[in-house]
Amino acid sequence: MKHSLPLAALLLASSLVPAAPALAAEGEAVQAQPAESATSNTSDAATENLVPIPPAVQKTMDRLFTLQPELKKLNIITSTIREDNQHFRVYLSDKKEEELRNSKEGMSAHLEFDEKTGELLLLNVQAAAWSSDKLPSLQLTYETAEKFLTQWLGAEERKQFGKPVSRGSSGSTAHNDDGTQTSWRERHAQFPLILNGIPVEGDVGPRIGVDASGHITSYTYSPIDLNKVTIPKPDTALPVEEIKQKIATADSLGLYYMEHQPEKYSRSLDNTKSKPALLYDLQQYGYYQPQTGKAVDTMSGKELADGQNKPTPNKKVVLYPKGEQLIVRSEEEAKQLLAKVFNNKDAVAKLRVEERRGMAWEKESPQQMYEFSTEDHKIFASVAADKKTGQVQYANLQLNTDQKAQPAKVAKDRAFATARNFLEKYASPSTTLLEWTDSTYYKEPELPSWVDKSKLPEGFTEHQPKEYSFFFYETYQGVPIMDRTYRVSVDNQTGNIVSFSLATPKDKLDLPDSKDIVTKEQALEAFLKNKSPKLQYVWPQYFDQRAPAPILVYAWDYSEGFGYVDALTGQYIIVPSEWDEE
């Protein structure tokens, strides 16, 4: 996709047992003990999962239990060493091992440490008493996380990190034996590492989870020995005004429609005011070498070849839409649709309703999901429809086989014809001219030299596409409408459609006239007056491996919100971002 995050986002994770054994004195190795009530026939198995806790780890646990005294009351269920990275793991619970499945009451915690230094790398706490389907405010999240981090690291070490920034939220739901649900939600605050007064982008710094009652529910941080790292100096970079003239030209801008351009970007666009808009926006985003302005591959730190960062021009296709609709209002109708559209009655006949009980807060979603799988879980399917109208918005059929990717048996032209014919049948009546692109042959970049392939996850394979994926945009007066999109994916072995997404049907579009608008040159001038890049460090990571040093780059600054140039007035419009507000 060639568009900014906001545009892309619009198109678009008991019974209590006796108290835990007493903690060892500081520096003393301790043999972890199972709960006293463990039965004799499980004691041998339990012993295998209880490795003596190293003194350095015990020392850290003592400190942690001082700050989180509720953890001290828990029993050590398992203590083990991860063979792949020598991290020491401890699992705590206030229940017997055989009672751990019932989440209606009780508390548990997962801890992970550096075996040698004892450094706390991970903390996850789940307590039934803390359950809630509400999120904490940003203020409560930041204040609680700040207090914990300062207490944990000390005021001096805390200074190496910047102010907390939001990293979204997460949640989970346990389904109890009596049919009830217990839900948890937390908001995440990230503390970016600061180098030479410049923040490091990404997950390089402590991340802390906080719930609605102000409990610390999670903590992750992998310390870096900066004495062994060569850090690029920022004084070698070109000035901002000079670099932005290099990375933005009139050709960098594209002209687009938005049928529903929001006044602000938030979690729920349904409750956000919007209006039709004709706008200029950047066609590509990324990172730039601070001395030349050339686009940079942040995994390797190498400059991209000329044109490698530029979007592939879209192609046009004329449609004569038949206006047929796909309507689903029940699980049986969803299965009928799958058999009809995906031309695989044998696979669909084996599907059964997936026993999935959604999160409590999903009940408010305007979308109705129908999910299916086979008994052996080798075939999955799903259908999403509008709850009010039953209009199908998305569907897919996934066959999971052990067979490796094979050379395509179906030519791309034939697959495209299949996708086009499907859209001509089911696309909106307003769809007469489409722009389209395909991501079929996207190839992941070569692994950089600092990646140790022997440490990659077992079964890791490079990306091998098994299907052709075509993306379509409706147009109005020849200009693409970025929030009226379609996607159709076709299996390259069978030629059958395997997934699709559809825009909401419309008989007629009401959009601004594109005849009398400002030029790209005028739009660029307005853009550069209001937008600048900023210097930042990016520290590449690949799975659990981190590059030996960060990379210094320029990137556009969106701290005050995303924006665009109104093509009718030439004004630069800032759209505030409130992704994490309730």
Side-chain angles (χ1 to χ4, degrees):
M1 297 291 288
K2 65 182 182 181
H3 303 288
S4 66
L5 173 61
L7 294 179
L10 291 176
L11 308 180
L12 305 169
S14 78
S15 297
L16 296 180
V17 299
L23 297 171
E26 186 172 302
E28 176 186 347
V30 61
Q31 171 67 53
Q33 298 294 324
E36 293 177 13
S37 56
T39 59
S40 59
N41 62 346
T42 61
S43 60
D44 291 340
T47 302
E48 292 178 5
N49 292 326
L50 291 166
V51 175
I53 297 177
V57 172
Q58 183 65 57
K59 183 177 180 179
T60 303
M61 288 176 65
D62 290 346
R63 287 187 56 230
L64 178 63
F65 293 169
T66 299
L67 286 181
Q68 302 280 81
E70 61 271 21
L71 299 181
K72 189 173 183 178
K73 303 174 184 178
L74 305 182
N75 299 292
I76 299 174
I77 304 299
T78 61
S79 55
T80 57
I81 297 176
R82 281 184 59 178
E83 296 298 334
D84 58 339
N85 56 16
Q86 297 301 298
H87 288 179
F88 197 88
R89 287 176 162 179
V90 178
Y91 176 55
L92 307 170
S93 177
D94 63 355
K95 298 180 182 179
K96 301 175 184 178
E97 191 169 7
E98 61 268 23
E99 296 174 333
L100 297 180
R101 292 184 181 181
N102 186 0
S103 300
K104 289 191 69 176
E105 52 185 281
M107 182 178 191
S108 62
H110 290 268
L111 311 176
E112 190 164 327
F113 307 85
D114 183 298
E115 183 195 16
K116 294 181 179 179
T117 66
E119 187 81 37
L120 177 65
L121 307 175
L122 178 145
L123 163 69
N124 275 315
V125 183
Q126 190 172 76
W130 299 357
S131 63
S132 172
D133 59 3
K134 296 181 180 180
L135 281 174
S137 66
L138 280 173
Q139 182 178 353
L140 176 61
T141 301
Y142 290 159
E143 290 176 352
T144 304
E146 177 70 56
K147 179 180 179 181
F148 176 82
L149 188 67
T150 302
Q151 291 177 327
W152 183 247
L153 297 181
E156 191 60 34
E157 191 174 347
R158 163 68 185 89
K159 293 178 182 178
Q160 65 181 308
F161 305 106
K163 294 181 180 179
V165 293
S166 175
R167 282 293 184 263
S169 61
S170 63
S172 63
T173 295
H175 302 282
N176 305 308
D177 295 338
D178 61 2
T180 60
Q181 296 182 2
T182 307
S183 297
W184 295 266
R185 298 188 76 185
E186 64 178 2
R187 199 187 290 275
H188 306 282
Q190 182 91 38
F191 293 80
L193 178 66
I194 303 295
L195 299 176
N196 296 319
I198 299 172
V200 179
E201 292 296 308
D203 296 334
V204 187
R207 177 178 292 199
I208 298 174
V210 178
D211 70 10
S213 297
H215 300 111
I216 299 295
T217 52
S218 65
Y219 170 89
T220 56
Y221 175 50
S222 297
I224 302 171
D225 186 354
L226 296 177
N227 294 321
K228 298 180 179 179
V229 176
T230 301
I231 301 171
K233 295 181 183 283
D235 56 10
T236 61
L238 291 175
V240 170
E241 290 302 315
E242 187 173 344
I243 203 74
K244 72 179 181 180
Q245 300 294 332
K246 292 179 178 291
I247 65 177
T249 66
D251 290 337
S252 303
L253 299 179
L255 181 65
Y256 316 110
Y257 276 109
M258 288 291 292
E259 187 181 25
H260 301 286
Q261 172 59 47
E263 294 182 355
K264 65 179 179 180
Y265 296 113
S266 63
R267 293 174 62 89
S268 176
L269 294 178
D270 294 332
N271 299 321
T272 300
K273 291 183 179 179
S274 65
K275 64 178 181 179
L278 179 59
L279 55 92
Y280 284 104
D281 198 5
L282 283 178
Q283 294 187 89
Q284 71 272 345
Y285 291 80
Y287 300 96
Y288 302 90
Q289 212 276 348
Q291 289 83 29
T292 66
K294 296 284 187 179
V296 171
D297 172 14
T298 55
M299 288 298 292
S300 64
K302 297 179 181 179
E303 292 184 0
L304 297 175
D306 288 340
Q308 198 171 345
N309 193 44
K310 294 181 180 179
T312 303
N314 288 345
K315 303 174 185 179
K316 297 184 185 297
V317 59
V318 176
L319 283 189
Y320 300 94
K322 295 180 172 60
E324 295 186 30
Q325 293 191 5
L326 294 173
I327 304 295
V328 163
R329 298 185 183 277
S330 68
E331 292 167 347
E332 183 57 36
E333 288 183 359
K335 286 192 68 173
Q336 292 174 6
L337 176 139
L338 292 169
K340 175 183 178 182
V341 173
F342 297 140
N343 193 30
N344 195 333
K345 294 181 180 179
D346 291 338
V348 173
K350 301 175 185 177
L351 293 173
R352 61 180 185 178
V353 176
E354 180 74 13
E355 294 184 4
R356 174 188 178 274
R357 287 174 284 183
M359 306 298 185
W361 54 89
E362 288 181 357
K363 294 179 181 178
E364 300 176 3
S365 171
Q367 213 174 53
Q368 177 65 53
M369 290 293 299
Y370 302 94
E371 298 186 336
F372 308 89
S373 67
T374 54
E375 191 170 355
D376 59 6
H377 294 290
K378 288 189 176 181
I379 304 176
F380 292 88
S382 61
V383 177
D386 185 284
K387 279 183 179 179
K388 293 182 179 178
T389 65
Q391 179 69 43
V392 174
Q393 302 167 335
Y394 163 86
N396 84 315
L397 179 66
Q398 179 182 350
L399 281 66
N400 294 325
T401 65
D402 297 330
Q403 184 179 0
K404 293 183 178 180
Q406 302 292 322
K409 294 180 180 179
V410 177
K412 184 161 70 170
D413 289 347
R414 178 183 156 194
F416 177 78
T418 299
R420 182 193 177 282
N421 292 341
F422 172 81
L423 286 184
E424 195 158 57
K425 199 171 186 180
Y426 297 114
S428 171
S430 61
T431 308
T432 55
L433 179 65
L434 291 171
E435 285 196 4
W436 72 276
T437 186
D438 75 83
S439 63
T440 302
Y441 292 113
Y442 166 78
K443 294 182 179 179
E444 292 188 6
E446 293 184 7
L447 295 181
S449 58
W450 50 266
V451 173
D452 185 344
K453 294 183 179 180
S454 67
K455 295 182 180 180
L456 292 176
E458 186 177 353
F460 168 81
T461 57
E462 294 185 4
H463 179 69
Q464 294 289 340
K466 297 181 180 180
E467 56 195 45
Y468 299 102
S469 292
F470 304 101
F471 294 86
F472 300 84
Y473 305 87
E474 278 194 50
T475 63
Y476 183 78
Q477 296 184 351
V479 179
I481 311 168
M482 298 318 298
D483 52 349
R484 293 197 61 78
T485 64
Y486 301 83
R487 178 185 55 78
V488 183
S489 295
V490 179
D491 188 290
N492 65 18
Q493 300 296 305
T494 66
N496 292 335
I497 294 173
V498 291
S499 69
F500 67 84
S501 62
L502 301 173
T504 304
K506 285 284 184 72
D507 291 323
K508 184 180 179 181
L509 299 176
D510 184 15
L511 294 168
D513 195 326
S514 63
K515 292 180 181 178
D516 188 16
I517 59 175
V518 300
T519 65
K520 278 191 175 183
E521 288 72 20
Q522 291 171 316
L524 177 65
E525 184 179 356
F527 182 87
L528 292 179
K529 280 183 179 179
N530 293 276
K531 191 58 96 178
S532 291
K534 67 174 181 179
L535 272 177
Q536 62 187 51
Y537 287 104
V538 175
W539 207 314
Q541 288 185 251
Y542 197 80
F543 286 92
D544 290 336
Q545 299 183 51
R546 181 182 286 142
I551 300 168
L552 183 67
V553 295
Y554 267 113
W556 292 104
D557 184 5
Y558 293 101
S559 57
E560 295 183 2
F562 296 89
Y564 62 88
V565 176
D566 188 314
L568 301 177
T569 66
Q571 291 183 320
Y572 184 79
I573 309 296
I574 292 180
V575 185
S577 177
E578 299 177 358
W579 299 106
D580 292 310
E581 293 292 349
E582 284 294 90

